């Protein structure tokens, strides 16, 4: 059986194609203005990688903030639901899932079957998500990769007062004027995002093992700050940004079976 | 006075409202000790009344500061709200 | 940020004095100093009447800005600091006014100042500055009955407006005017967050929207946000607006339309509301102290 999961996030669209329980194709594309169009292109990409025709796909499930924009989808599932299923599939021991993307953060408690037990989300304020680090790296004229790396070299923690990305930019500028090192600024920024994500995760409670997924999990500075803040280690899957799409594709399998 | 401390941001409204008429009748000031995060302090306000207020340091981060009192499921009563004998404290979220 | 844009929120420095009054004939001389994030004002009152005021830019040093503001107000009056019976400091730098006898929050001072400037029928006050937004409800004495102050989030502040002005390369001073150059009012920008609203605006521009239409959508979103803040403290007439945003028609007129209420205009410069309120507070406080015999 062939199914597909499409995750239409605020910044990027991800597609996973599953054939008999194995991932055979993937696609990723910037969401841009025309989500529907980008989703179509992305799906085509993934189908090509899997070496199949789009018409071979039995069932498509979409997820993500823009999931309703995908006309090809047979059905939809929330990000929280898709994250839970996808994570437990790749990391069966995971009981807590933390998903941090560019515009949102989620804390999810999951059962061994991949069911959502409890969840909390943090969205629509850039200060609590990955784009905060992006804005700050831009303010320091560094790439996001560099910015995340240098955080690890910081030797002290300085608190950021601003709780808003916009005001924080001015604060970063004054920190620079005060000759604070970029390393310390980077750590302050990552600590700030981490403390916001951590407080949300505490609302669902932490149960081992803790999986960290989403694009921001590639940022070592953030992972380090969050780990310190929550006093726990994480398991981070390889294809961390595809977990939502994978979850949707797995749900598509279930739903397809249910239909027969 | 209804004193609202907190903020509105893209994600929602996070205000703690203190009905200071209540504080004027209150002798216990139990809110201060009840809160695990030290959110409250008794201050002399602009009209020389002794009232409870949310401390400056937490006013811009209440959503995070209070998160442990507000678990995602089956939230118990809030310690601050419970502790206030005048029912003067309420939360907007 | 160009100098020109800052000007809008900073206002220009100026100074005023009631030429027809001789302060020596008065009994109680009080001063209010409002040290804001961008500008600082000093107001001198004689027996609870406005006598002189001065407005300066806030420098990096708050005590110094407070001093400069007061010195400007004293200029040509023959008055010295020693002639002032009581000084109240307010504004975000209120604890940094070295010669103040007491600090009072800007919420209380704005209410008191608005009550004086716009009359005791004023019930709701909006103060929207470069870095914060305050909605205040007060009684006929100018005493605060309900307030909300938002200085966490840049959305709904002058700063949020600047971000958009930068993106569109339009001077902040022209935003209001330009936002009305549309055939039809577009729906408001859907994201509240300035960061996301900026991306949304970029998308609209790419989509071929003219700048004026994007501005209209942004001003409308800001107006909605402020209107709901006002409603949450109990919007009631009469309604008075202070602070830098009072000059942005694009936001003010849209707020008035949503609320169905026009803000009242006064002969006073709304910028001095905080410092004036502080000077009036100073009089009350001085009289209280006199009564107790400790002054
Ligand atoms: S909810 Fe908890 S942390 Fe928040 S003010 Fe009340 S007692 Fe304090
Ligand atoms: S606080 Fe800043 S980052 Fe958060 S919603 Fe407001 S403008 Fe956006």
């Amino acid at each position: 059986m062939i199914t597909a999961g499409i995750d239409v996030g605020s910044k990027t669209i991800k597609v996973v194609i599953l054939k008999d329980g194995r991932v055979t194709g993937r696609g990723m594309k910037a969401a841009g203005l025309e989500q529907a169009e980008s989703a179509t292109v992305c799906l085509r990409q993934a189908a090509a990688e899997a070496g199949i025709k789009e018409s071979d796909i039995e069932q498509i499930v979409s997820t993500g903030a823009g999931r309703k924009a995908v006309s090809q989808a047979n059905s939809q599932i929330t990000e929280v639901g898709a994250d839970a299923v996808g994570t437990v599939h790749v990391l069966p021991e995971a009981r807590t899932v933390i998903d941090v993307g560019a515009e949102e953060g989620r804390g999810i408690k999951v059962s061994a079957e991949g069911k959502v037990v409890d969840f909390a989300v943090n969205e629509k304020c850039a200060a609590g998500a990955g784009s905060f680090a992006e804005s700050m790296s831009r303010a320091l004229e560094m790439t996001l990769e560099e910015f995340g790396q240098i955080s690890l070299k910081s030797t002290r923690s300085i608190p950021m007062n601003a709780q808003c990305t916009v005001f924080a930019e001015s604060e970063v500028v004054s920190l620079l004027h005060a000759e604070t090192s970029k390393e310390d600024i980077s750590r302050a920024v990552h600590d700030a995002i981490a403390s916001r994500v951590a407080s949300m995760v505490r609302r669902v409670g932490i149960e081992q093992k803790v999986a960290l997924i989403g694009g921001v999990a590639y940022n070592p500075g953030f992972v380090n700050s969050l780990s310190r803040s929550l006093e726990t280690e994480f398991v981070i899957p390889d294809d961390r940004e595809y977990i939502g799409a994978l979850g949707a594709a797995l749900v598509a399998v279930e739903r397809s079976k249910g239909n027969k | 006075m209804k004193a609202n401390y907190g903020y509105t941001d893209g994600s929602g409204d996070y205000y703690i409202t203190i009905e200071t008429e209540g504080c004027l009748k209150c002798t216990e000031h139990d809110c201060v000790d009840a809160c695990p995060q030290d959110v409250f302090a008794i201050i002399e306000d602009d009209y020389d009344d002794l009232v409870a207020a949310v401390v400056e340091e937490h006013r811009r981060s209440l959503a995070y500061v209070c998160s442990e009192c507000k678990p995602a499921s089956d939230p118990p009563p809030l310690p601050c709200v419970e502790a206030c004998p005048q029912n003067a404290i309420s939360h907007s979220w | 940020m160009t100098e020109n844009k800052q000007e809008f929120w900073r206002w220009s420095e100026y100074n005023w004095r009631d030429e027809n009054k001789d302060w020596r004939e008065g009994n109680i001389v009080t001063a209010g100093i409002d040290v804001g994030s961008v500008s600082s004002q000093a107001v001198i009152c004689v027996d609870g009447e406005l006598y002189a005021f001065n407005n300066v830019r806030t420098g990096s040093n708050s005590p110094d800005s407070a001093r400069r503001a007061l010195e400007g107000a004293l200029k040509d009056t023959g008055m010295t600091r020693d002639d002032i019976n009581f000084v109240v400091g307010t504004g975000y730098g209120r604890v940094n006014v070295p010669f103040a006898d007491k600090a009072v929050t800007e919420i209380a001072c704005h209410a008191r100042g608005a009550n004086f400037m716009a009359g005791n029928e004023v019930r709701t006050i909006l103060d929207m500055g470069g870095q914060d937004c305050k909605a205040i409800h007060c009684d006929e004495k100018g005493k605060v009955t309900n307030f909300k102050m938002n200085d966490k989030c840049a959305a709904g502040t002058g700063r949020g407006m600047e971000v958009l002005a930068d993106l569109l390369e339009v001077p902040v001073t022209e935003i209001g005017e330009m936002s009305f150059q549309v055939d039809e009012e577009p729906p408001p920008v859907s994201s509240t967050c300035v960061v996301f609203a900026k991306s949304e605006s970029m998308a609209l521009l790419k989509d071929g929207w003219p700048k004026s239409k994007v501005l209209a959508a942004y001003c409308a979103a800001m107006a909605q946000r402020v209107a709901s803040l006002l409603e949450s403290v109990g919007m009631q007439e009469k309604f008075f607006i202070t602070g830098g945003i009072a000059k942005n028609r694009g936001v003010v007129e849209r707020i008035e339309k949503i609320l169905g209420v026009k803000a009242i205009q006064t002969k006073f410069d709304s910028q001095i509301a905080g410092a004036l309120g502080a000077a009036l507070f100073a009089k009350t406080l001085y009289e209280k102290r006199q009564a107790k015999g400790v002054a």
Side-chain angles (χ1 to χ4, degrees):
Chain A
M1 186 196 316
I2 303 177
T3 62
I6 308 184
D7 178 1
V8 187
S10 49
K11 283 262 160 72
T12 52
I13 297 180
K14 279 99 25 183
V15 173
V16 164
I17 292 184
L18 272 185
K19 188 176 177 192
D20 302 328
R22 275 191 38 246
V23 176
T24 54
R26 293 182 319 184
M28 171 147 27
K29 194 180 181 311
L33 273 184
E34 297 297 333
Q35 282 178 329
E37 220 168 86
S38 307
T40 304
V41 175
C42 202
L43 182 62
R44 199 174 302 144
Q45 227 177 58
E49 190 182 298
I52 57 160
K53 291 201 296 288
E54 276 171 64
S55 54
D56 295 336
I57 306 173
E58 264 181 62
Q59 185 99 7
I60 301 179
V61 171
S62 64
T63 186
R67 61 182 176 271
K68 301 224 166 75
V70 185
S71 55
Q72 296 93 328
N74 302 85
S75 63
Q76 293 147 5
I77 182 169
T78 63
E79 298 95 308
V80 171
D83 278 355
V85 173
T87 307
V88 171
H89 182 78
V90 293
L91 304 167
E93 7 31 309
R95 289 299 166 269
T96 310
V97 182
I98 305 174
D99 177 3
V100 187
E103 297 198 357
E104 67 287 297
R106 297 178 200 105
I108 311 163
K109 189 180 259 180
V110 292
S111 70
E113 296 75 43
K115 288 230 152 42
V116 177
V117 179
D118 218 339
F119 74 96
V121 293
N122 203 344
E123 51 186 15
K124 300 201 172 89
C125 168
S131 65
F132 185 65
E134 252 167 71
S135 303
M136 296 308 120
S137 65
R138 236 177 287 130
L140 287 178
E141 296 174 343
M142 300 175 99
T143 64
L144 185 56
E145 286 70 38
E146 285 174 289
F147 186 65
Q149 272 299 336
I150 62 164
S151 170
L152 301 176
K153 299 207 193 84
S154 163
T155 48
R156 64 193 179 122
S157 80
I158 41 172
M160 294 267 314
N161 292 317
Q163 295 288 336
C164 166
T165 306
V166 178
F167 292 136
E169 264 176 54
S170 331
E171 196 173 329
V172 162
V173 172
S174 23
L175 285 172
L176 277 177
H177 282 164
E179 292 181 3
T180 313
S181 75
K182 290 191 175 180
E183 285 78 10
D184 292 343
I185 294 178
S186 169
R187 169 155 165 188
V189 168
H190 290 107
D191 280 354
I193 311 173
S195 84
R196 290 169 200 144
V197 171
S199 78
M200 171 199 69
V201 176
R202 286 198 197 98
R203 292 190 56 207
V204 298
I206 294 177
E207 204 179 306
Q208 297 294 341
K209 292 179 165 176
V210 184
L212 184 59
I213 64 171
V216 184
Y218 280 111
N219 177 333
F222 171 75
V223 175
N224 181 273
S225 293
L226 188 64
S227 171
R228 255 187 287 111
S229 178
L230 287 174
E231 297 173 351
T232 180
E233 298 291 318
F234 308 113
V235 277
I236 305 179
D238 286 339
D239 294 328
R240 53 207 83 168
E241 74 275 42
Y242 285 103
I243 302 296
L246 172 67
L250 288 163
V251 169
V253 174
E254 290 307 309
R255 290 187 181 164
S256 186
K257 283 182 191 158
N259 284 344
K260 277 176 191 163
Chain B
M1 161 167 43
K2 267 200 170 68
N4 300 282
Y5 298 98
Y7 54 91
T8 305
D9 67 14
S11 67
D13 281 342
Y14 307 96
Y15 288 97
I16 294 181
T17 304
I18 301 174
E19 188 60 84
T20 60
E21 312 305 321
C23 301
L24 300 182
K25 288 181 232 139
C26 181
T27 48
E28 292 89 350
H29 300 321
D30 282 341
C31 54
V32 178
D33 289 333
C35 171
Q37 305 286 341
D38 297 328
V39 164
F40 301 95
I42 302 296
I43 60 158
E44 191 181 284
D45 76 0
D46 296 322
Y47 307 103
D48 294 338
D49 291 326
L50 280 184
V51 300
V54 171
V55 297
E56 182 76 43
E57 138 185 41
H58 292 319
R59 289 182 194 168
R60 293 180 202 87
S61 52
L62 286 178
Y64 310 113
V65 173
C66 294
S67 68
E68 267 171 273
C69 287
K70 299 178 184 237
S73 55
D74 306 323
L78 303 176
C80 51
V81 173
E82 284 272 281
C84 174
Q86 302 289 334
N87 291 323
I89 299 174
S90 57
H91 288 226
S92 71
W93 79 109
Chain C
M1 211 190 318
T2 68
E3 196 53 19
N4 182 20
K5 279 178 203 158
Q6 286 193 356
E7 202 67 35
F8 183 60
W9 306 112
R10 283 171 187 255
W11 305 59
S12 45
E13 305 207 346
Y14 58 71
N15 149 307
W16 175 92
R17 173 164 60 93
D18 187 345
E19 308 274 353
N20 303 321
K21 208 178 271 172
D22 183 359
W23 62 271
R24 289 179 185 83
E25 287 167 10
N27 290 317
I28 305 177
V29 180
T30 56
I33 321 274
D34 182 353
V35 183
S37 56
V38 277
S39 66
S40 299
Q41 296 83 30
V43 165
I44 298 174
C45 282
V46 175
D47 294 334
E49 287 301 321
L50 184 60
Y51 173 64
F53 66 81
N54 187 48
N55 183 29
V56 299
R57 294 186 177 187
T58 303
S60 53
N61 178 324
S62 295
D64 186 55
S65 307
R67 217 171 279 127
R68 276 193 302 119
L70 183 59
E71 270 157 23
L74 291 170
K75 203 168 121 237
D76 302 330
T77 59
M79 192 192 289
T80 69
R81 218 194 277 164
D82 293 337
D83 296 314
I84 304 173
N85 300 103
F86 205 94
V87 181
V88 164
T90 188
Y92 107 112
R94 63 181 174 275
V95 286
N96 286 321
V97 180
F99 46 88
D101 298 286
K102 189 170 171 160
V104 175
T105 67
E106 57 262 55
I107 306 274
C109 288
H110 270 274
R112 190 70 177 267
N115 173 276
F116 181 97
M117 290 162 80
N120 58 12
E121 285 167 3
V122 168
R123 286 296 166 279
T124 314
I125 301 147
L126 168 66
D127 175 52
M128 204 161 159
Q131 301 196 17
D132 65 2
C133 181
K134 307 179 197 87
I136 307 167
H137 187 277
C138 67
D139 66 13
E140 70 288 345
K141 292 198 193 84
K143 186 175 175 192
V144 178
T145 44
N146 194 336
F147 74 86
K148 267 187 187 168
M149 155 151 160
N150 195 352
D151 61 355
K152 183 251 181 181
C153 172
T157 68
R159 191 57 206 287
M161 211 29 124
E162 277 170 10
V163 170
L164 191 76
D166 274 342
L167 174 72
L168 298 180
E169 297 173 327
V170 173
V172 176
T173 37
E174 284 163 30
I175 282 184
E177 217 47 58
M178 216 169 149
S179 77
F180 288 112
Q181 292 161 13
V182 287
D183 304 329
E184 204 186 339
E185 196 63 13
V189 170
S190 68
S191 323
T192 298
C193 178
V194 174
V195 178
F196 302 147
K198 187 176 163 186
S199 324
E200 207 179 318
S201 302
M202 273 154 75
L204 293 173
L205 286 173
K206 269 204 204 151
D207 232 12
W209 281 36
K211 286 182 184 177
S212 55
K213 198 169 164 189
V214 176
L215 280 173
Y218 195 82
C219 288
M222 197 144 163
Q224 254 183 9
R225 186 179 155 84
V226 175
S228 71
L229 190 73
L230 285 164
E231 271 162 354
S232 73
V233 300
M235 178 63 207
Q236 222 184 321
E237 289 202 74
K238 291 180 171 178
F239 171 45
F240 188 55
I241 304 182
T242 64
I245 205 72
K247 293 220 163 169
N248 185 333
R249 272 184 59 212
V251 177
V252 172
E253 286 180 22
R254 285 182 176 89
I255 294 173
E256 292 178 332
K257 203 162 149 213
I258 296 171
L259 297 172
V261 170
K262 280 237 173 292
I264 37 176
Q265 305 294 329
T266 74
K267 61 182 162 89
F268 300 103
D269 184 334
S270 67
Q271 180 76 354
I272 61 163
L276 174 58
L280 297 171
F281 251 101
K283 178 169 178 272
T284 313
L285 289 165
Y286 179 69
E287 285 166 344
K288 255 194 201 171
R289 267 200 202 178
Q290 289 290 74
K292 280 192 203 154
V294 292

